[in-house]
Amino acid sequence: MNAVELLKHDHEMVRQLFERLGKTTERGVKTREELMRHLHEELMAHTRVEEEIFYPAFRAAGGKQGEILFHEAQEEHRAVEVLILPDLEKTDPSSSEFAGRVKVLKDMVEHHIEEEEQEMLPKARELLGEDRLEELGTQMESRKKELKRQLSGERAA
């Protein structure tokens, strides 16, 4: 799977998790907790492979426009990781506040996905070419598996 396909696949998985989470009620505490664990794992693994592998390759090939898109994407990741996700994870899943914070996280992530899919990924196809995207995709898949093992281990500990 090339890098662009892998990222789009991840985006779809995250959208589905948000959809499932949005259908839960305040009584579905266990379901909300499990979906949040899965969402957190997916977001963290996805973010890391983007930041460690995809974004640097894109930035190197993208010139001034690539530099701007790179920094914008990094800031959106930081906002989710540092501001929104930690607050949500401390919120009681049986509260209405939880649903509101999930909505804010969903809106932020969907905005980020939309920008990537409309701007960065088409530009990456153009700049990097199929061979390089395949190479990056292989690296990203391997790293993502490693990260998911680590995240699962941390959760079990």
Side-chain angles (χ1 to χ4, degrees), residues 1 3-19 39 42-43 46-47 49-50 54-55 73 76-77 106 109-122 140 144:
M1 184 179 306
V4 169
E5 291 166 359
L6 182 128
L7 294 175
K8 284 184 173 184
H9 177 268
D10 285 358
H11 292 166
E12 185 54 37
M13 181 173 297
V14 167
R15 283 184 186 110
Q16 289 174 12
L17 287 168
F18 275 121
E19 186 177 325
L39 183 63
E42 289 298 326
L43 287 173
H46 176 83
T47 298
V49 297
E50 279 186 330
F54 184 76
Y55 287 173
E76 289 173 347
H77 283 185
K106 177 180 184 262
V109 170
E110 284 182 344
H111 168 79
H112 176 74
I113 287 171
E114 187 176 307
E115 283 188 339
E116 274 189 358
E117 290 186 355
Q118 291 179 359
E119 295 177 46
M120 186 180 273
L121 299 183
M140 291 164 66
K144 190 173 167 193

Side-chain angles (χ1 to χ4, degrees), residues 88-132:
L88 176 57
E89 290 177 333
K90 291 181 215 160
T91 305
D92 178 359
S94 68
S95 69
S96 55
E97 183 180 31
F98 181 86
R101 288 185 172 171
V102 166
K103 173 84 168 81
V104 169
L105 177 63
K106 177 180 184 262
D107 290 348
M108 181 84 165
V109 170
E110 284 182 344
H111 168 79
H112 176 74
I113 287 171
E114 187 176 307
E115 283 188 339
E116 274 189 358
E117 290 186 355
Q118 291 179 359
E119 295 177 46
M120 186 180 273
L121 299 183
K123 192 76 176 162
R125 279 192 192 281
E126 175 187 319
L127 293 169
L128 297 169
E130 279 306 308
D131 290 344
R132 181 70 173 129

